[in-house]
């Protein structure tokens, strides 16, 4: 009997291949959609983390409270030791010290007079160490519109718009002016060796990038930094882990309560609007996925429904031959379960493959994103998460099954003679 | 002692809900059949032939009245009992053959035996035998779509007969067939009736079918108008 039904299932394309295909397509789209939306959200979050906030950030409590002013006088001290400690406690994160600073960029004329000047926001990262991944992390190479990365002391990058506004060219020497860690006047000459364009307005307006060592000298910050940013291995923010680190931080690092210079650990979510962005991203991802799943479920339900109704004739015949209604109904459900499982399996694999391709290759939106004022990535990538292994699969199976459960109810609702009549037409 | 009939209907009434009221398709029929009959319900369209055949075939219940079919009272026959009765003792032949298109001739005929849970060796033997009766043993690997209408109906006869039921019900079995095929099919059924004493009950208004019947039961508007034996 089972073999008989199996043969029928395999030979009747309308009963097997078609519904499997419909299920597979629906499931594949859902999986891909979820991975895509998740990737999009995650990429913008990660971009913010890499450029500015880290997955976690350690700075002094006072600096954290006044982060917008980038007050150098509230910097962390003994950074080398602290970084070692952090690495020892949390070896699963990569730790990098950075200095965020603000000041003026001055373009001197022939006679030493000021030819042009503008406020600048600076970031000093480790470009020079051979093992440093900071340049890569900020994706500076890709952002270069001309020139090259800093390779030796006294070199800097400026955002392309800013250097144009200042009327400077590669090779020009500019003077940075700001304040030192101790409140004194800081000034240093930098050679412009490259221009960057991150495609993000907040970064491209007036930004300088230089090596830590140069900025340390200029700002009198030997073994100091405004922050140490930490990044989870695997490159994804993990709020639960960050929260655990935060909770044990005071104990781990013997922080003296009430000390304004004591280090604190900030999660990505703690900083600026990132908490909102992360929460909204999560909600958006859920919403989009939910709407998509709902649509897919309706389609599959309908397909299951039609699949059942299409076969009322066959059911009538089988009932006439002496099969019970329950048996016919159950065999229909087993079939639809098989179809749902197979279709969902194929769909999940296809969806994951497609998502994986989007994850590896990415979709370059390039210039269309040029004017965004939010930090949004220009290359959109899908991102596969464990959820994708079941987010399409489960509704794929259940929607199909529920569709056929409902359509099969017709077997019970109608009396046998009526099913039988449908077979005559 | 009352004679025991194969089918014994008493005052069978069938009403169908229609709008607010109901439509009475059978208006109190008394009918008896004995084993081995070759009988037909004859009447114009709408006279109630199919309705009566469905009640006899336990596919439908009477609204009033009752009786027995193959010894089972039909008034309150449970669905599972009816299914068992059909499975074991009643064969159906339809106007439009109703063969499962994706299955071979062999598999179509085999199906009722699968329902009976018969072992495969025995099934094979019975199926080939039944196909022999209808002269289609050499076509057992074909699909219904590869057969003519007449051949399809003969496969359907083999399917109805393979389990050697007590009763075969055939609703307009020749309506889709030309004259030559109709006669072929009818002769086949006649031979099976004689060979196995299987009771055949037709619903028809086809003269060709009527000419083969040994008992002609005329219906009109759900009532018996004439019952003649040849
Ligand atoms: N399920 C139903 N609901 C309502 N009316 C029905 C139903 N089944 C049959 N009828 C009515 O009962 C009457 C008898 O129908 P039946 O199908 O038994 O006729 P028939 O003699 O088989 O006709 P035909 O030669 O056209 O097959 C018809 O008037 C039909 O409209
Ligand atoms: Mg009829």
């Amino acid at each position: 009997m089972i073999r008989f039904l199996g043969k029928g299932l395999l030979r009747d394309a309308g009963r097997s291949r078609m519904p499997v295909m419909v299920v597979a397509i629906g499931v594949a789209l859902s999986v891909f959609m979820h991975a895509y939306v998740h990737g999009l959200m995650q990429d913008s979050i990660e971009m913010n983390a890499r450029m500015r906030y880290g997955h976690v950030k350690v700075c002094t409590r006072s600096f954290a409270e006044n982060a917008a002013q980038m007050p150098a006088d509230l910097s962390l001290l003994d950074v080398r030791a602290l970084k070692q400690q952090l690495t020892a406690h949390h070896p699963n994160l990569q730790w990098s010290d950075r200095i965020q600073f603000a000041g003026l960029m001055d373009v001197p004329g022939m006679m030493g007079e000021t030819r042009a000047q503008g406020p600048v926001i600076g970031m000093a990262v480790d470009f020079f160490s051979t093992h440093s991944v900071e340049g890569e992390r900020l994706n500076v190479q890709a952002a270069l519109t001309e020139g090259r990365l800093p390779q030796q002391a006294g070199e800097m990058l400026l955002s392309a718009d800013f250097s144009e506004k200042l009327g400077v060219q590669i090779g020009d020497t500019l003077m940075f002016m700001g304040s030192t860690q101790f409140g004194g006047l800081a000034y240093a000459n930098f050679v412009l060796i490259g221009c960057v364009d991150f495609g993000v307005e907040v970064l491209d307006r007036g930004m300088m990038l230089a090596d830590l060592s140069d900025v340390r000298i200029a700002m009198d910050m030997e073994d100091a930094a405004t922050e140490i940013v930490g990044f989870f291995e695997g490159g994804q923010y993990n709020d639960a882990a960050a929260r655990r680190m935060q909770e044990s931080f005071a104990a781990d690092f013997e922080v003296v309560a009430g000390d304004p210079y004591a280090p604190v650990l900030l999660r990505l979510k703690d900083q600026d609007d990132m908490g909102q962005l992360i929460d909204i991203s999560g909600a958006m991802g859920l919403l989009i996925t939910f709407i998509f799943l709902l649509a897919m479920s309706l389609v599959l339900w309908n397909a299951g429904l039609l699949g059942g109704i299409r076969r009322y004739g066959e059911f009538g015949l089988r009932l006439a031959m002496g099969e019970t209604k329950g048996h016919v109904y159950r065999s229909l459900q087993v079939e639809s379960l098989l179809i749902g499982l197979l279709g969902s399996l194929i769909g999940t694999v296809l969806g994951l493959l497609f998502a994986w391709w989007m994850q590896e290759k990415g979709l370059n939106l390039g210039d269309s994103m040029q004017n965004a004022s939010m930090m949004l990535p220009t290359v959109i990538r899908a991102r596969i998460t464990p959820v994708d292994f079941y987010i399409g699969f489960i509704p794929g199976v259940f929607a199909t099954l529920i569709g056929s459960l409902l359509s099969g109810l017709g077997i019970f609702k109608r009396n046998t003679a009526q099913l039988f009549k449908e077979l005559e037409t | 002692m009352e004679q025991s009939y194969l089918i014994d209907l008493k005052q069978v009434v069938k009403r169908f809900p229609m709008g607010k009221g109901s439509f009475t398709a059978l208006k109190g029929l008394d009918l008896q059949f004995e084993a081995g009959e070759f009988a037909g319900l004859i009447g114009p369209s709408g006279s109630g032939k199919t309705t009566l055949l469905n009640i006899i075939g336990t596919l439908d219940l009477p609204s009033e009245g009752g009786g027995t079919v193959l010894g089972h009272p039909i008034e309150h026959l449970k669905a599972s009992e009816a299914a068992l009765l059909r499975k074991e003792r009643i064969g159906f032949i339809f106007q439009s053959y109703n063969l499962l298109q994706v299955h071979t001739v062999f598999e179509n005929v085999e199906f009722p035996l699968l329902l009976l849970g018969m072992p495969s060796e025995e099934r094979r033997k019975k199926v080939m035998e039944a196909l022999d009766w209808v002269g289609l043993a050499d076509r057992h690997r074909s699909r219904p779509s590869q057969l003519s209408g007449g051949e399809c109906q003969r496969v359907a006869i083999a399917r109805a007969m393979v389990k050697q039921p007590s009763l075969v019900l055939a609703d307009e079995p020749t309506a889709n067939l030309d004259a030559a095929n109709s006669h072929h099919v009818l002769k086949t059924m006649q031979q099976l009736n004689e060979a196995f004493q299987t009771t055949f009950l037709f619903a028809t208004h086809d003269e060709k079918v009527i000419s083969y019947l040994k008992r002609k039961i005329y219906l009109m508007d759900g009532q018996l108008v004439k019952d003649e034996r040849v």
Side-chain angles (χ1 to χ4, degrees):
Chain A
M1 191 68 204
I2 290 166
R3 265 186 51 192
F4 184 87
L5 291 173
K7 271 186 209 161
L9 187 61
L10 288 181
R11 289 183 200 158
D12 187 351
R15 213 164 121 192
S16 50
R17 254 164 290 162
M18 269 301 292
V20 165
M21 243 166 67
V22 171
V23 175
I25 289 170
V27 170
L29 282 175
S30 299
V31 169
F32 174 72
M33 192 73 188
H34 182 261
Y36 174 78
V37 170
H38 185 76
L40 177 63
M41 301 294 180
Q42 209 59 39
D43 276 359
S44 32
I45 292 167
E46 289 304 323
M47 181 164 179
N48 280 285
R50 287 198 306 272
M51 301 304 291
R52 234 175 129 183
Y53 303 110
H55 288 148
V56 294
K57 176 189 279 189
V58 174
C59 59
T60 66
R61 168 163 320 145
S62 316
F63 187 88
E65 281 159 9
N66 302 286
Q69 284 95 52
M70 303 176 185
D73 55 324
L74 302 177
S75 296
L76 291 166
L77 304 175
D78 293 328
V79 166
R80 263 192 299 271
L82 184 54
K83 217 167 95 175
Q84 265 170 19
Q85 256 183 301
L86 284 167
T87 309
H89 265 282
H90 302 293
N92 59 327
L93 277 84
Q94 294 179 326
W95 298 96
S96 305
D97 38 340
R98 289 179 179 178
I99 299 174
Q100 307 230 31
F101 57 96
L104 277 177
M105 195 52 80
D106 189 275
V107 187
M110 298 291 272
M111 317 299 292
E113 82 286 6
T114 293
R115 212 178 70 203
Q117 203 179 53
V120 69
I121 289 177
M123 185 157 74
V125 300
D126 186 358
F127 280 116
F128 294 169
S129 308
T130 47
H131 59 268
S132 172
V133 293
E134 288 277 86
E136 221 172 284
R137 186 174 283 147
L138 297 173
N139 208 12
V140 186
Q141 190 66 50
L144 274 179
T145 55
E146 53 180 325
R148 56 169 174 79
L149 300 187
Q151 284 164 358
Q152 49 191 332
E155 293 182 339
M156 69 160 175
L157 303 169
L158 282 184
S159 45
D161 284 1
F162 189 47
S163 64
E164 198 176 314
K165 216 174 76 192
L166 293 175
V168 291
Q169 257 119 51
I170 304 281
D172 286 356
T173 300
L174 288 80
M175 187 166 71
F176 166 78
M177 288 185 290
S179 60
T180 69
Q181 186 184 190
F182 306 108
L185 181 66
Y187 52 93
N189 284 327
F190 286 95
V191 181
L192 178 64
I193 43 88
C195 292
V196 286
D197 185 351
F198 288 100
V200 179
E201 208 182 315
V202 289
L203 290 183
D204 293 333
R205 219 176 278 154
M207 153 115 169
M208 83 172 268
L209 268 173
D211 189 73
L212 265 175
S213 56
D214 286 337
V215 174
R216 280 202 167 116
I217 293 168
M219 297 179 64
D220 209 355
M221 285 179 67
E222 176 53 30
D223 204 18
T226 56
E227 64 217 48
I228 301 173
V229 283
F231 293 90
F232 288 105
E233 247 156 36
Q236 258 211 78
Y237 179 60
N238 178 344
D239 193 53
R243 194 178 283 276
R244 280 196 299 278
M245 290 171 65
Q246 192 171 41
E247 277 159 7
S248 65
F249 186 76
D252 289 349
F253 293 86
E254 292 160 2
V255 173
V256 183
D259 178 1
Y261 289 92
V264 290
L265 186 138
L266 305 175
R267 293 175 297 144
L268 178 58
K269 267 188 120 171
D270 294 330
Q271 303 175 59
D272 290 348
D273 305 331
M274 291 311 294
Q276 253 179 339
L277 180 61
I278 290 171
D279 291 342
I280 291 173
S281 299
M284 280 271 284
L286 273 181
L287 186 72
I288 293 173
T289 307
F290 178 74
I291 290 172
F292 206 80
L293 283 178
L294 197 72
M296 177 189 89
S297 300
L298 287 177
V299 169
L300 294 188
W301 170 8
N302 218 37
L305 213 60
L306 290 178
I309 291 168
R310 196 176 78 88
R311 294 172 57 200
Y312 275 5
E314 178 202 328
F315 298 154
L317 176 76
R318 284 165 58 182
L319 292 173
M321 303 270 222
E323 248 185 287
T324 59
K325 286 184 173 186
H327 191 270
V328 172
Y329 189 67
R330 281 193 299 277
S331 81
L332 176 67
Q333 300 326 320
V334 170
E335 267 185 33
S336 89
L337 186 66
L338 286 177
I339 284 164
L341 283 172
L342 186 64
S344 298
L345 190 71
I346 294 172
T348 300
V349 169
L350 283 180
L352 285 174
L353 277 177
F354 195 42
W356 177 75
W357 178 76
M358 268 288 276
Q359 179 173 306
E360 298 301 307
K361 287 261 162 8
L363 178 66
N364 197 340
L365 294 183
D367 292 343
S368 64
M369 299 284 289
Q370 221 46 275
N371 296 319
S373 59
M374 273 207 319
M375 279 213 237
L376 279 174
T378 52
V379 178
I380 293 184
R381 292 172 185 283
R383 189 173 306 221
I384 297 173
T385 48
V387 178
D388 295 320
F389 287 83
Y390 58 80
I391 191 134
F393 193 88
I394 291 174
V397 172
F398 280 93
T400 311
L401 192 58
I402 289 170
S404 93
L405 279 170
L406 290 177
S407 74
L409 284 183
I411 297 172
F412 289 105
K413 262 192 290 181
R414 287 153 213 249
N415 62 38
T416 308
Q418 216 174 332
L419 279 173
F420 201 51
K421 193 171 257 164
E422 274 162 55
L423 157 162
E424 290 288 311
T425 52
Chain B
M1 202 185 109
E2 194 181 334
Q3 191 190 345
S4 77
Y5 294 103
L6 190 78
I7 299 165
D8 186 3
L9 303 180
K10 295 209 167 87
Q11 283 303 306
V12 165
V13 173
K14 182 68 187 178
R15 277 188 289 269
F16 292 110
M18 222 167 95
K20 287 201 182 77
S22 65
F23 172 82
T24 310
L26 298 177
K27 299 173 178 164
L29 286 177
D30 284 299
L31 262 177
Q32 285 77 38
F33 296 90
E34 284 161 29
E37 288 206 51
F38 202 73
L41 306 171
I42 304 161
S45 186
S47 55
K49 306 182 293 290
T50 297
T51 304
L52 183 56
L53 218 54
N54 284 344
I55 288 174
I56 293 172
T58 74
L59 293 168
D60 214 344
L61 293 173
S63 310
E64 271 174 40
T68 58
V69 169
L70 304 171
H72 292 258
I74 56 171
E75 292 95 323
H76 308 293
L77 203 56
K78 274 199 283 183
S80 56
E81 290 167 351
L84 188 66
L85 189 62
R86 289 198 297 273
K87 184 159 81 176
E88 291 177 344
R89 300 187 62 194
I90 305 177
F92 288 89
I93 294 167
F94 311 92
Q95 173 181 333
S96 45
Y97 330 132
N98 284 310
L99 300 177
L100 299 171
Q101 294 299 316
V102 293
H103 291 278
T104 62
V105 165
F106 183 93
E107 287 162 353
N108 267 282
V109 178
E110 188 187 23
F111 186 66
L113 303 182
L114 280 169
L115 290 178
L116 287 172
M118 193 178 279
S120 90
E121 263 316 296
E122 202 180 338
R123 285 203 308 265
R124 171 148 210 96
K125 202 174 126 257
K126 295 228 174 201
V127 171
M128 293 314 289
E129 222 171 68
L131 284 172
D132 234 2
W133 299 335
V134 298
L136 285 173
D138 55 333
R139 304 298 302 270
H140 71 276
R141 282 206 187 83
S142 306
R143 294 284 177 88
S145 58
Q146 298 164 323
L147 303 182
S148 74
E151 288 168 332
C152 281
Q153 197 58 303
R154 275 147 60 203
V155 173
I157 294 169
R159 179 176 64 184
M161 284 300 296
V162 70
K163 62 189 174 191
Q164 302 226 6
S166 314
L167 177 63
V168 171
L169 302 173
D171 197 348
E172 316 274 14
T174 56
N176 289 348
L177 301 179
D178 61 21
N181 271 310
S182 294
H183 284 293
H184 191 164
V185 159
L186 284 161
K187 282 206 184 87
T188 305
M189 288 193 273
Q190 197 176 42
Q191 283 159 10
L192 290 168
N193 166 255
E194 278 158 16
F196 301 109
Q197 286 302 299
T198 310
T199 304
F200 277 78
L201 183 53
F202 295 86
T204 189
H205 44 226
D206 179 358
E207 284 303 330
K208 294 185 289 296
V209 177
I210 296 169
S211 68
Y212 282 80
L213 297 176
K214 294 202 198 97
R215 181 180 173 192
K216 300 169 190 175
I217 299 157
Y218 290 89
L219 295 182
M220 183 72 85
D221 292 332
Q223 278 170 318
L224 186 68
V225 289
K226 198 161 71 173
D227 185 351
E228 65 179 29
R229 289 167 198 267
V230 185

